[in-house]
Amino acid sequence: MTAPSLTDLGLDPQAMLKALYKARASGALEVEYQDAGVQRRVRYRSDSDLAAAIAALEGKLAADAGGSSVNIVNIRSSKGWT
């Protein structure tokens, strides 16, 4: 028997992931997001806990999608010619 997906549990994984990314980028340890009409708030102890939550959620999303991986694209630009 497989574990239910996040959406099967009534959770919005994309909203969760977006809130986690936003919090980590701003240096905040408290994440707040709207999920299924409910305001949710989670406070993490450290940045490494927040990073672990992001990794776990990305892994869960990849597993729910049939094992496909998440692609990360880094874009760099500069002003003028280098």
Side-chain angles (χ1 to χ4, degrees), residues 3 5 17 19-21 26-27 34 44 53 55 57 61 65 67-68 78-79 82:
S5 71
L17 194 56
L20 288 167
Y21 282 141
S26 69
Q34 186 82 13
Y44 294 89
L57 185 54
L61 285 171
S68 64
S78 64
K79 202 174 185 182
T82 56

Side-chain angles (χ1 to χ4, degrees), residues 7-56:
T7 51
D8 291 341
L9 297 173
L11 301 172
D12 182 359
Q14 294 302 325
M16 295 166 64
L17 194 56
K18 183 178 178 181
L20 288 167
Y21 282 141
K22 186 176 178 181
R24 187 149 193 237
S26 69
L29 294 177
E30 189 167 283
V31 177
E32 199 170 319
Y33 62 97
Q34 186 82 13
D35 188 18
V38 177
Q39 188 70 22
R40 300 184 187 270
R41 179 180 293 163
V42 179
R43 179 155 180 83
Y44 294 89
R45 287 189 237 177
S46 66
D47 181 64
S48 61
D49 286 347
L50 188 56
I54 290 171

